[in-house]
């Protein structure tokens, strides 16, 4: 950060503000998590712009504690699928409590994760607990602690999901647990923590989603 500058704020007439708020809700409430993907290619520059949007998120001390790895290579996707399905078999077969499995039952998920190889793009989101002072700057290489990392990466991921939906793509937030295998497969340093795996692409033509209800305003918010 280098000093201060005037804010480039664009004030909108109230009617326009209201219309935009409604339109944005109408767009966003059509987003659904998709589990059946088409193998159709998606435009690379859509992913690039969505990543730049994610990078516009606010972050603790502006440390930008995120890193995104975009995986399109079929061999890498296959390796991720194999490792994720290994963990998921443990999860569904052993680790998960009955209560957890009951909660998941309406979604119809299981240890099989074909979307990890079918979908054209996987975005592995990593959380950086530290920032290293770049070469050429004072105290080069010094390790600085990042702040509010999970809040910051969560917000960035939300913007990423919103940006991809706005562009017309479907996503799935996938969280194999544990997912440390992503560091080895994607060559990321140990101090980066895999945060989640975002699957992106077109939905399969026959894709179905669970019937679900979302909270009404009075349920999700309280006005005091
Ligand atoms: N990670 C597992 C289990 C799972 C857990 C939750 I909470 C979900 O909302 C969905 C799935 C899987 O991906 O199947």
């Amino acid at each position: 950060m280098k000093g201060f500058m005037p804010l480039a704020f664009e004030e909108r007439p109230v009617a326009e503000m209201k219309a935009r708020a409604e339109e944005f809700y109408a767009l966003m409430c059509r987003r659904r998590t998709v589990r059946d993907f088409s193998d159709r290619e998606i435009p690379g520059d859509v992913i690039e712009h969505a990543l730049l949007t994610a990078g516009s998120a606010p972050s603790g001390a502006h440390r930008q504690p995120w890193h995104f790895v975009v995986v399109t290579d079929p061999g890498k996707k296959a390796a991720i699928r194999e490792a994720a399905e290994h963990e998921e078999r443990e999860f569904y077969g052993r680790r998960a409590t009955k209560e957890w499995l009951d909660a998941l039952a309406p979604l119809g998920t299981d240890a099989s994760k074909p979307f990890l190889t079918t979908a054209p793009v996987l975005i592995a989101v990593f959380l950086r607990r530290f920032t290293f002072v770049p070469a050429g700057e004072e105290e080069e290489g010094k390790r600085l602690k990042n702040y509010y990392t999970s809040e910051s990466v969560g917000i960035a991921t939300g913007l990423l999901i919103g940006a991809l939906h706005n562009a017309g793509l479907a996503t799935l937030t996938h969280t194999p647990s544990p997912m440390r295998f992503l560091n080895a497969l994607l060559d990321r340093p140990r101090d980066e923590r895999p945060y989640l795996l975002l699957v992106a692409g077109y939905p399969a033509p026959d894709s179905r989603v669970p019937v679900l209800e979302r909270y009404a305003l009075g349920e999700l918010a309280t006005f005091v």
Side-chain angles (χ1 to χ4, degrees), residues 35 88 91-92 100 104 107 109-110 113 174-176:
R35 290 195 164 77
E88 296 295 0
F91 173 80
Y92 284 94
W100 197 341
L104 291 179
L107 299 178
T109 57
D110 59 28
K113 304 295 172 195
H174 179 46
T175 50

Side-chain angles (χ1 to χ4, degrees), residues 31-35 37 42 46-54 67-72 77 80 84 115-126 153-166 169-176 179 181-182 186 194-202:
R31 186 203 58 78
R32 291 300 311 262
T33 286
V34 162
R35 290 195 164 77
F37 282 84
I42 58 178
V46 170
I47 298 293
E48 288 168 18
H49 276 104
L51 290 167
L52 288 168
T53 302
H67 186 79
F68 303 92
V69 180
V70 180
V71 186
T72 53
K77 287 195 291 176
I80 290 173
F115 49 76
L116 292 174
T117 45
T118 315
V121 174
L122 311 178
I123 305 175
V125 183
F126 287 87
V153 180
I155 296 167
T157 303
L159 293 182
L160 178 59
I161 293 167
L164 291 167
H165 173 69
N166 176 56
L169 292 173
T171 56
L172 165 65
T173 42
H174 179 46
T175 50
M179 51 180 163
F181 63 83
L182 287 172
L186 301 176
Y195 184 78
L196 62 75
L197 199 52
L198 194 68
V199 183
Y202 291 101

Side-chain angles (χ1 to χ4, degrees), residues 20 24 84-85 97-98 109 117-118 122 127 151 154 171-172 185 189 202 216 219:
R20 289 176 66 105
F24 192 63
E85 287 183 333
T97 57
K98 168 147 186 343
T109 57
T117 45
T118 315
L122 311 178
L127 179 156
E151 292 84 347
T171 56
L172 165 65
L185 290 177
Y202 291 101
E219 295 169 307

